[in-house]
Amino acid sequence: MKLNSVAPKEGYTWIRQGIWLFKHNPLGFLMLVFMYIFAAQLGVIIPVIGVFVVLLLNPTLSVGFMTACREAIQKEHIRPMVYLIALQSSSVVRKRILQLGLVYAGMILLMSFILSLLVDFELLLPLMTSDKPITPEALRQVYLILFFGAMLYVPIAMVMWFSPVLIAWADMSVAQALFSSCLAFWTNKAAFFYYLSIWSVILIAIPLMIGMIFDAMNLGQAASFIIAPISMVALTIMHCSVYAAWKACFAEDEVVLDA
């Protein structure tokens, strides 16, 4: 498997290809993302263990969604059980993908601990437990969480972006997959910056703008009926575009994506 270096504008092309891929089976892809969100919410309900299991299985689910992208291109039916394909693989792949899950869970827990040292979460508790207005200091803490959280998650994203499929499809060890994913991200950092900037606007800036407009019209509750489905579709397309990024960064003898 060969690592490719792509132009910065390819970040936008990945999104276009993600849309093209989504159109192949929109209901199938939406079903997979809904299942993931439901499982994540269910995991949060179960104290400690639930969150850990969701983090542990994250690489497994990633391989499943990428496999679904392959199947969609080949005109195959997308099945919910595709999420388990990594665990149904060879014992070596199954062991490595679960080890990667442990690494990912450890990194997220470490990030959460560091974030708790940088941000005063006690100021945010009243926002989640009451209808009191947001104070300037609480709003400042929200922005700090977003800023520090993004900064801390960048290195995690770099090593985890491609590592699940590198283990499942390229037969790499955990350490080799983490290194190769980081190398691919860094080699194409300009394209990824362009790509992630566009998704930040789509998934964060636009929903916030819509919410502010509806709040100004005293229609705040109605905003969720517009934002939720748009965000769901956008999130699904983003997951599809990860496959496009994979195809661009790593040379494989497979179907070429259209745009």
Side-chain angles (χ1 to χ4, degrees):
M1 182 161 292
K2 178 185 175 183
L3 174 61
N4 299 323
S5 177
V6 302
K9 66 179 182 180
E10 285 298 303
Y12 169 69
T13 302
W14 298 342
I15 296 175
R16 289 180 54 192
Q17 291 174 339
I19 296 172
W20 174 83
L21 184 53
F22 172 76
K23 290 179 180 178
H24 275 60
N25 196 334
L27 292 180
F29 286 125
L30 284 169
M31 171 196 67
L32 291 181
V33 172
F34 177 80
M35 287 177 59
Y36 176 82
I37 293 175
F38 178 78
Q41 291 178 336
L42 186 64
V44 172
I45 296 175
I46 306 173
V48 184
I49 297 177
V51 175
F52 178 76
V53 170
V54 171
L55 294 175
L56 176 68
L57 294 179
N58 188 275
T60 300
L61 300 180
S62 177
V63 172
F65 197 94
M66 296 284 274
T67 302
C69 291
R70 270 183 166 180
E71 293 177 347
I73 293 175
Q74 297 168 358
K75 309 295 184 182
E76 296 180 13
H77 181 65
I78 296 178
R79 301 161 291 106
M81 295 302 289
V82 73
Y83 270 144
L84 301 179
I85 196 165
L87 298 180
Q88 295 171 342
S89 187
S90 67
S91 59
V92 174
V93 170
R94 183 166 58 250
K95 178 181 177 181
R96 288 174 178 174
I97 209 72
L98 290 175
Q99 288 176 337
L100 183 64
L102 287 173
V103 172
Y104 179 68
M107 289 190 295
I108 293 297
L109 293 175
L110 178 61
M111 184 191 80
S112 301
F113 173 72
I114 296 174
L115 197 58
S116 68
L117 299 177
L118 300 173
V119 180
D120 187 0
F121 283 97
E122 292 184 2
L123 287 173
L124 303 179
L125 290 178
L127 301 181
M128 297 180 285
T129 58
S130 68
D131 295 327
K132 295 181 180 180
I134 301 177
T135 63
E137 181 57 29
L139 185 61
R140 177 175 173 273
Q141 294 301 314
V142 170
Y143 285 126
L144 285 176
I145 287 177
L146 293 174
F147 175 76
F148 287 123
M151 292 300 102
L152 291 171
Y153 192 75
V154 166
I156 297 176
M158 290 177 66
V159 298
M160 290 297 302
W161 199 271
F162 295 124
S163 51
V165 287
L166 287 170
I167 287 174
W169 295 352
D171 195 28
M172 290 188 181
S173 66
V174 174
Q176 187 179 6
L178 290 169
F179 175 78
S180 297
S181 177
C182 185
L183 183 61
F185 201 103
W186 183 255
T187 300
N188 299 296
K189 54 185 176 296
F192 274 104
F193 179 80
Y194 192 16
Y195 169 83
L196 294 174
S197 296
I198 295 174
W199 279 122
S200 296
V201 172
I202 295 173
L203 293 174
I204 300 175
I206 292 178
L208 285 175
M209 186 181 301
I210 294 175
M212 290 172 61
I213 293 173
F214 273 77
D215 284 339
M217 300 169 60
N218 293 321
L219 297 172
Q221 293 182 341
S224 60
F225 292 100
I226 296 177
I227 295 173
I230 293 176
S231 297
M232 186 72 172
V233 171
L235 186 64
T236 306
I237 293 174
M238 187 186 76
H239 278 75
C240 291
S241 67
V242 173
Y243 182 81
W246 157 264
K247 292 292 298 174
C249 293
F250 291 92
E252 276 191 308
D253 295 328
E254 282 190 25
V255 179
V256 177
L257 295 183
D258 201 345

